[in-house]
Amino acid sequence: MHSPVIVWLRRDLRLSDQAAIAEAAGKGPVIPVYVLDDETPRHRAMGGASRWWLHHSLASLDAALREKGSRLILRRGKCEDVLPALAEETGAREVHALHHYEPWWRNAEKAVGKRVALHLHHGNYLVPPGAVTTGAGAPYKIYTPFWRALSERMPPPEVQPCPDAIPAPESWVRSESLADWNLLPVEPDWAGGLRDAWEPGEDGAHARLQAFAGKASRYREQRDLPSRDATSFLSPHLHFGEISPAQVWHAMAGAGGSVETFLGEVGWRDYAQNVILQFPDYGGKSAREPFDSFPWRTGENAEADLRAWQQGRTGYPIVDAGMRQLWHTGWMHNRVRMIAASFLVKHLLIDWRRGEQWFWDTLVDADYASNAVNWQWTAGSGVDSNMFVRIMAPLSQSEKFDAAAYIRQWVPELADLPDAEIHDPAPMARPADYPSRLIDHRAARERALAAWEQAKD
Ligand SMILES: Cc1cc2nc3c(=O)[nH]c(=O)nc-3n(C[C@H](O)[C@H](O)[C@H](O)COP(=O)(O)OP(=O)(O)OC[C@H]3O[C@@H](n4cnc5c(N)ncnc54)[C@H](O)[C@@H]3O)c2cc1C
């Protein structure tokens, strides 16, 4: 009998197109393990919405493994301690895993690799991060040339099906209980909206992919309209690796119409990871110098404004609709993410890191790379942008992208207002339970530009 092989699962919770599982299944009995690690140095503990998702995704993966004659072993602790201990306990000589690029995962991979034979495979990005370089061999900092170079390497490799059976060891080692990990909220149970909106797991991911198939060809025309469900809703599934980007690519590439624009967005995910590989601290450190001494607002009033933003009570309907959609479902439409993020940073002059943290805690697709890159892009503090002075006007954005139905759905206090008024209700038209604006747009703009003048000197 061959000695068993451990498969270390992280953000790659699927059985198909999963190179670590495919490789291990060809070598001997497989022990799939998920380690809940909040302890590895610089590890960013998952936020509440991500933990909710993780619970259900692990349950779904365990059920899928059991159909293949296997099961999922759960352990908690530092990966660099847990995995060598598990190898010793089971007699496993090898650990197989997919590459991950968050700084804490790279630390953990180094530490684990010193104590047990660790084999890392690709498969969570269209192209392995770091592999797309300029002619001179340097990594790209800007999306457009990055995407052009990446496109030349498409299509991605063919998708690998799930092995027919995953060989099991003679006996199973102890697993911790998922329920004991307390990943789900209890008091209060705020996850009702998440339960209604999502089906975590590989089946849920493929159901989303199928539902999107009929819409992909009209993506460019409709993706900015928050009142339509015109995007794929694949982000949490891609984040947790319940579906691979290669599977998404191969399923969609032939859809015709403007599907190229959609594939380009999937490429943003690769781009963001490419930035994190170059700047591992990007989630907490602005890439541009003026932002080190930026006069962000702090103190009681700023904290009250931050809370109003988090609760969707800024008095700007499009911002409030987005923030309430986020709280209720763990997801927000991309155009509205841009508007809401810009509003926090420029209208309220609150440090982008406070917004990044809130999104980290509340998004089901919270992703270190995509979140940080998009927040820094919006703030103008990123390697790829210098746009602080481009201040989005929430009201005209709301009109331009026809957000009336979206606002009615998420801000029911305003549901009776006609389209012409709903984007910017006049003081007399505001229902008593809807707040007045935290700050007037023009005053906010002037304050932001003055702050920028001060920071850049
Ligand atoms: C301030 C801000 C924070 C964000 N934080 C995150 C985050 O934590 N996690 C996250 O996955 N996305 C984040 N995004 C990007 C984007 O909003 C979401 O990926 C998208 O809304 C998810 O919806 P969808 O799956 O329907 O996307 P679709 O439009 O269907 O796009 C398909 C896939 O492409 C990827 N993608 C699309 N747009 C982007 C983008 N701008 N950057 C990186 N990848 C992209 C996602 O994986 C997405 O699932 C953020 C955007 C902003 C402006």
Side-chain angles (χ1 to χ4, degrees):
M1 183 81 174
H2 295 288
S3 55
V5 180
I6 293 173
V7 173
W8 175 23
L9 294 150
R10 287 176 284 177
R11 294 200 297 97
D12 38 37
L13 304 176
R14 62 179 182 273
L15 297 187
S16 56
D17 206 32
Q18 219 294 10
I21 290 186
E23 183 76 15
K27 288 188 167 235
V30 178
I31 302 173
V33 58
Y34 185 89
V35 183
L36 184 63
D37 180 351
D38 287 331
E39 296 165 31
T40 288
R42 293 165 76 200
H43 196 113
R44 238 202 198 203
M46 271 182 219
S50 299
R51 283 177 186 260
W52 175 86
W53 191 285
L54 178 68
H55 175 101
H56 293 291
S57 191
L58 292 176
S60 158
L61 183 66
D62 182 50
L65 281 164
R66 282 172 193 266
E67 278 178 26
K68 299 274 175 191
S70 183
R71 67 177 65 170
L72 182 62
I73 300 299
L74 303 177
R75 294 280 167 99
R76 202 171 356 187
K78 249 187 188 175
C79 292
E80 68 178 273
D81 298 331
V82 171
L83 290 164
L86 185 64
E88 203 173 309
E89 189 182 342
T90 57
R93 298 224 183 95
E94 294 177 13
V95 176
H96 286 257
L98 295 196
H99 275 283
H100 291 279
Y101 301 89
E102 287 86 347
W104 57 89
W105 284 134
R106 289 166 65 204
N107 285 348
E109 286 164 8
K110 267 190 222 138
V112 170
K114 283 188 188 148
R115 299 184 54 190
V116 57
L118 175 64
H119 301 267
L120 293 168
H121 307 270
H122 293 295
N124 272 338
Y125 292 90
L126 290 170
V127 170
V132 176
T133 55
T134 64
Y140 284 100
K141 292 198 170 63
I142 309 290
Y143 168 77
T144 306
F146 170 84
W147 174 242
R148 213 177 292 128
L150 186 148
S151 300
E152 282 170 16
R153 302 178 60 153
M154 292 295 99
E158 282 305 316
V159 166
Q160 299 175 29
C162 169
D164 291 335
I166 301 177
E170 276 169 18
S171 62
W172 284 100
V173 290
R174 168 190 66 85
S175 172
E176 293 177 25
S177 135
L178 185 56
D180 288 348
W181 281 6
N182 296 325
L183 297 170
L184 300 177
V186 185
E187 282 177 19
D189 172 10
W190 42 257
L194 275 62
R195 283 193 291 273
D196 292 345
W198 301 102
E199 183 195 346
E202 197 167 358
D203 288 349
H206 286 274
R208 283 285 188 200
L209 186 67
Q210 263 184 8
F212 180 62
K215 304 176 183 173
S217 65
R218 279 165 289 139
Y219 180 79
R220 186 172 49 228
E221 297 76 7
Q222 302 199 343
R223 69 175 174 140
D224 276 320
L225 306 175
S227 299
R228 308 264 178 104
D229 286 342
T231 65
S232 71
F233 294 91
L234 281 168
S235 50
H237 299 289
L238 279 164
H239 169 76
F240 281 93
E242 296 166 354
I243 191 165
S244 73
Q247 288 175 307
V248 174
W249 178 286
H250 285 293
M252 291 301 152
S258 57
V259 74
E260 287 296 327
T261 309
F262 169 73
L263 298 176
E265 292 303 310
V266 180
W268 262 95
R269 186 176 166 273
D270 270 56
Y271 164 74
Q273 207 55 257
N274 175 73
V275 171
I276 292 302
L277 200 58
Q278 298 172 64
F279 306 99
D281 297 331
Y282 211 70
K285 187 160 177 13
S286 299
R288 287 179 192 269
E289 232 173 60
F291 287 86
D292 289 341
S293 55
F294 199 89
W296 300 117
R297 287 172 63 230
T298 54
E300 229 173 84
N301 289 344
E303 290 301 316
D305 285 358
L306 175 66
R307 274 195 302 280
W309 177 80
Q310 291 170 338
Q311 292 166 358
R313 295 193 59 76
T314 67
Y316 281 80
I318 182 72
V319 175
D320 294 340
M323 297 307 293
R324 295 184 197 189
Q325 181 184 33
L326 172 61
W327 180 250
H328 196 75
T329 68
W331 185 90
M332 195 197 301
H333 186 275
N334 180 59
R335 169 60 50 183
V336 190
R337 289 188 203 203
M338 291 195 280
I339 298 168
S342 171
F343 185 85
L344 181 78
V345 175
K346 298 173 187 177
H347 283 67
L348 300 183
L349 275 190
I350 291 177
D351 193 333
W352 64 265
R353 283 167 280 225
R354 303 295 300 278
E356 193 270 350
Q357 281 291 336
W358 181 252
F359 273 29
W360 178 259
D361 200 26
T362 53
L363 279 170
V364 284
D365 63 26
D367 181 275
Y368 181 69
S370 295
N371 204 27
V373 164
N374 280 286
W375 271 98
Q376 291 227 41
W377 181 83
T378 308
S381 62
V383 283
D384 55 342
S385 68
N386 187 12
M387 299 201 310
F388 186 86
V389 294
R390 252 218 255 152
I391 296 170
M392 268 186 173
L395 305 174
S396 50
Q397 288 277 313
S398 183
E399 281 167 0
K400 180 172 173 195
F401 296 110
D402 200 10
Y406 178 75
I407 293 171
R408 275 191 197 101
Q409 181 179 2
W410 295 111
V411 190
E413 307 95 285
L414 303 180
D416 293 336
L417 294 183
D419 280 15
E421 281 177 44
I422 199 164
H423 305 284
D424 183 19
M428 295 302 287
R430 281 179 191 243
D433 53 354
Y434 187 67
S436 52
R437 294 183 202 157
L438 287 181
I439 184 167
D440 171 68
H441 173 62
R442 191 169 300 181
R445 196 183 138 74
E446 279 165 18
R447 182 171 72 175
L449 294 176
W452 173 248
E453 285 303 315
Q454 190 185 327
K456 78 179 168 63
D457 289 340

